[in-house]
């Protein structure tokens, strides 16, 4: 297909030259970005530069490229509904992240943590200055992770929608200005960490066509430029950029280039996997169709056939994953499955409940195992909810395992093992 031909040509140039869009250094990329901002239909917000202490590039502790790091991330875990919670870290019903919680995650077999993080609510809206106390708090949590040998991804999550709700030409300059200001501060505050720390530009940016994709790429380019400009270890840090909607098909069809970078092979792409919706996220039968309680060819019910999966099972998953392998992995761009999972329907009873739980464990194991087999890194989404339709692996209040079946499925899958 023409799309893949274009992408293949691009990636060959990226591998050979160490940059993706013609800019050979950060200055050139920055000039390009300034041009994009000037072309916007709306005057950009003016913020001071927060790159106030750029450091010489420092390769110490940063020798691994993105492909090498990807081989070390087997089973990833999201501490969801916490640092990104609007109103404060504990405002969505979870306790503040503790050292003991991170130790439990590590001891349970996970090798990486994704920290969805909000920044905008902690920033002065006139100056884009992020609270020093919040920067220090995020740094503390990252330190917990790194001290325990975990790789950790820090992103700008939905964050009130200042980026996600504004993938359009009229807002492009203002969004890029804020993206630059925030990432200069985040990158500077966390610059001292070694390659265990990875930055991610956004979360699920809802670009839906080629025009929006181009605007989204400008936001990613601003992210890359801002992080690299701070120097030190950030000159070599692996960075993650999100596909449109983090949807596999949309990303496959629209993301035909990557941002420019000043270093080779230090970039990853990100998608999420909640397929099929009826099994992973749907919480009530509808007139157009039922929920799926049972996923996988060997796990269909013979008594509750109305809730067997009718699509999105093993063959479909293999097709979706194969698209990401063809599009990115085969060209030296590892793929982060930044979120995946399925709700636990503990409101079921008897044999239906047991079959559902076994089916869900199989899904988590299969999705993890196939991700690693295709050069991708799976990060399970955990929102901390232990009740019906919850996702929790751990009770975060007393730091105990509450879903050993799912935990075992995830860890075995991440290590290439079946149930």
């Amino acid at each position: 297909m023409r799309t893949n031909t274009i992408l293949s040509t691009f990636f060959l140039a990226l591998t050979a030259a160490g940059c993706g869009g013609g800019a050979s250094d950060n200055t050139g990329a920055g000039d390009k970005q300034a041009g994009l901002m000037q072309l916007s239909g709306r005057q950009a917000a003016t913020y001071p530069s927060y790159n106030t202490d750029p450091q010489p590039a420092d390769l110490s502790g940063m020798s691994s490229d993105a492909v090498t790091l990807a081989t070390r991330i087997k089973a990833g875990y999201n501490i969801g509904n916490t640092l990104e919670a609007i109103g404060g870290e504990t405002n969505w019903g979870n306790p503040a992240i503790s050292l003991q919680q991170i130790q439990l995650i590590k001891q349970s077999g996970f090798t990486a943590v994704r920290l969805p993080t909000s920044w905008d609510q902690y920033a002065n809206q006139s100056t884009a200055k992020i609270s020093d106390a919040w920067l220090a708090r995020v740094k503390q949590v990252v330190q917990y992770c790194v001290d325990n040998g975990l790789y950790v991804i820090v992103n700008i999550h939905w964050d009130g929608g200042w980026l996600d709700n504004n993938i359009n030409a009229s807002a492009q300059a203002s969004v890029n200005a804020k993206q630059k200001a925030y990432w200069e501060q985040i990158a500077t505050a966390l610059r001292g960490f070694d390659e265990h720390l990875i930055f991610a530009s956004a979360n699920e940016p809802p670009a839906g066509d080629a025009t929006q994709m181009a605007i989204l790429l400008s936001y990613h380019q601003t992210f890359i430029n801002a992080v690299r400009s701070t120097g030190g270890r950030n000159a070599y840090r692996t960075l993650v950029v999100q596909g449109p909607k983090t949807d596999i098909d949309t990303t496959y069809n629209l993301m035909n280039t990557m941002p420019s970078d000043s270093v080779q092979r230090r970039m990853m792409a990100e998608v999420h996997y909640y397929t099929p919706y009826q099994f992973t996220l749907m919480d009530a039968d509808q007139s157009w169709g039922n929920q799926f309680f049972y996923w996988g060819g060997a796990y269909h019910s013979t008594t509750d056939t109305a809730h067997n999966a009718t699509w999105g099972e093993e063959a479909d998953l293999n097709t979706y994953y194969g698209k990401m392998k063809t599009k990115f992995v085969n060209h030296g761009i590892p793929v982060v499955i930044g979120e995946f999972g399925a709700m636990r329907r503990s409101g079921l009873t008897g044999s239906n409940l047991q079959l559902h739980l076994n089916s869900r464990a199989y899904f988590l194991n299969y999705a993890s195992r196939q991700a690693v087999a295709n050069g991708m890194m799976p990060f399970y989404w955990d929102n901390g909810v232990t009740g019906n339709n919850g996702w929790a692996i751990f009770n975060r209040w007393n730091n105990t395992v509450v879903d050993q079946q799912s935990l075992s499925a995830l860890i075995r899958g991440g290590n290439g093992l079946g149930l």
Side-chain angles (χ1 to χ4, degrees):
M1 286 171 47
R2 182 172 177 274
T3 295
N4 285 341
T5 301
I6 293 171
L7 188 68
S8 297
T9 302
F10 168 77
F11 278 132
L12 287 172
L14 177 68
T15 302
C19 60
S24 59
D25 56 38
N26 283 337
T27 302
D31 290 342
K32 243 167 104 177
Q33 190 59 45
L36 285 170
M37 294 175 70
Q38 290 168 5
L39 289 171
S40 171
R42 188 167 70 193
Q43 181 69 35
T46 301
Y47 303 122
S49 171
Y50 290 101
N51 184 25
T52 57
D53 184 30
Q55 300 291 311
D58 180 3
L59 190 57
S60 65
M62 306 297 292
S63 60
S64 302
D65 65 13
V67 173
T68 302
L69 291 183
T71 65
R72 299 174 184 161
I73 296 176
K74 302 297 186 182
Y77 175 82
N78 277 275
I79 306 181
N81 288 16
T82 308
L83 293 182
E84 84 277 29
I86 302 303
E89 183 176 355
T90 62
N91 206 47
W92 287 354
N94 287 307
I97 298 170
S98 66
L99 174 60
Q100 292 73 28
Q101 181 182 354
I102 300 301
Q103 289 171 333
L104 176 62
I105 292 168
K106 172 66 174 181
Q107 292 163 5
S108 296
F110 289 102
T111 55
V113 165
R114 181 171 178 261
L115 294 175
T117 307
S118 173
W119 303 95
D120 194 63
Q121 66 177 322
Y122 300 103
N124 182 304
Q125 293 303 303
S126 297
T127 65
K129 174 67 176 70
I130 300 170
S131 158
D132 289 337
W134 184 243
L135 286 165
R137 171 56 181 156
V138 176
K139 184 176 182 179
Q140 180 183 47
V141 175
V142 173
Q143 191 74 62
Y144 292 160
C145 295
V146 174
D147 285 349
N148 280 276
L150 291 164
Y151 293 91
V152 55
I153 297 176
V154 170
N155 75 352
I156 293 181
H157 211 66
W158 177 70
D159 207 15
W162 64 267
L163 186 151
D164 285 11
N165 294 348
N166 291 290
I167 305 180
N168 57 74
S170 64
Q172 185 175 4
S174 293
V175 171
N176 272 312
K178 184 172 279 191
Q179 179 85 323
K180 176 179 182 289
Y182 285 170
W183 276 111
E184 285 177 343
Q185 295 172 79
I186 299 164
T188 297
L190 304 179
R191 180 168 51 197
F193 290 104
D194 69 8
E195 65 190 22
H196 282 82
L197 174 61
I198 297 167
F199 292 143
S201 176
N203 176 44
E204 293 178 342
D209 57 35
T211 299
Q212 290 183 324
M213 185 68 240
I215 294 169
L216 174 59
L217 281 172
S218 82
Y219 298 164
H220 290 332
Q221 188 66 64
T222 295
F223 157 69
I224 298 285
N225 295 347
V227 172
R228 297 289 183 234
S229 73
T230 63
R233 287 171 164 170
N234 288 337
Y236 300 101
R237 191 169 308 284
T238 291
L239 305 177
V240 183
V241 294
Q242 292 65 44
K245 305 179 184 178
T246 55
D247 174 77
I248 288 178
D249 273 339
T250 308
T251 299
Y252 183 79
N253 292 328
L254 292 181
M255 197 167 181
N256 298 320
T257 188
M258 295 282 278
S260 303
D261 200 359
S262 56
V263 290
Q264 296 185 43
R265 300 173 69 86
R266 300 285 176 144
M267 205 178 303
M268 297 177 175
E270 180 179 351
V271 293
H272 296 172
Y273 193 77
Y274 291 115
T275 301
Y277 164 77
Q278 293 97 320
F279 181 71
T280 61
L281 294 167
M282 187 175 176
D283 61 3
D285 291 346
Q286 300 294 335
S287 59
W288 54 265
N290 291 339
Q291 306 164 81
F292 297 163
F293 297 158
Y294 318 107
W295 186 97
Y299 292 88
H300 284 191
S301 174
T302 58
T303 58
D304 185 19
T305 57
H307 292 102
N308 286 331
T310 58
W311 74 284
E313 296 183 283
E314 293 96 333
D316 289 333
L317 183 148
N318 293 343
T319 298
Y320 285 124
Y321 281 15
K323 288 183 175 183
M324 293 296 92
K325 187 176 188 298
T326 299
K327 190 90 169 182
F328 298 107
V329 176
N330 288 350
H331 300 282
I333 306 293
V335 174
V336 178
I337 301 181
E339 298 177 15
F340 83 103
M343 65 175 62
R344 182 176 51 251
R345 303 168 190 275
S346 52
L348 297 172
T349 59
S351 60
N352 286 347
L353 174 60
Q354 191 58 59
L355 182 60
H356 164 69
L357 293 177
N358 293 345
S359 167
R360 181 174 176 269
Y362 173 67
F363 168 80
L364 298 178
N365 178 264
Y366 191 86
S368 299
R369 183 159 38 98
Q370 292 301 108
V372 172
N374 283 277
M376 300 191 287
M377 295 149 280
F379 283 74
Y380 175 76
W381 177 257
D382 188 327
N383 63 3
V385 176
T386 59
N388 186 38
N389 294 341
W391 301 67
I393 299 291
F394 307 109
N395 181 322
R396 300 187 193 176
W397 295 93
N398 61 17
N399 293 312
T400 58
V401 176
V402 295
D403 188 350
Q404 183 63 54
Q405 183 182 29
S406 294
L407 174 59
S408 297
L410 290 163
I411 301 305
R412 288 183 62 84
N415 285 284
L417 302 174
L419 293 176

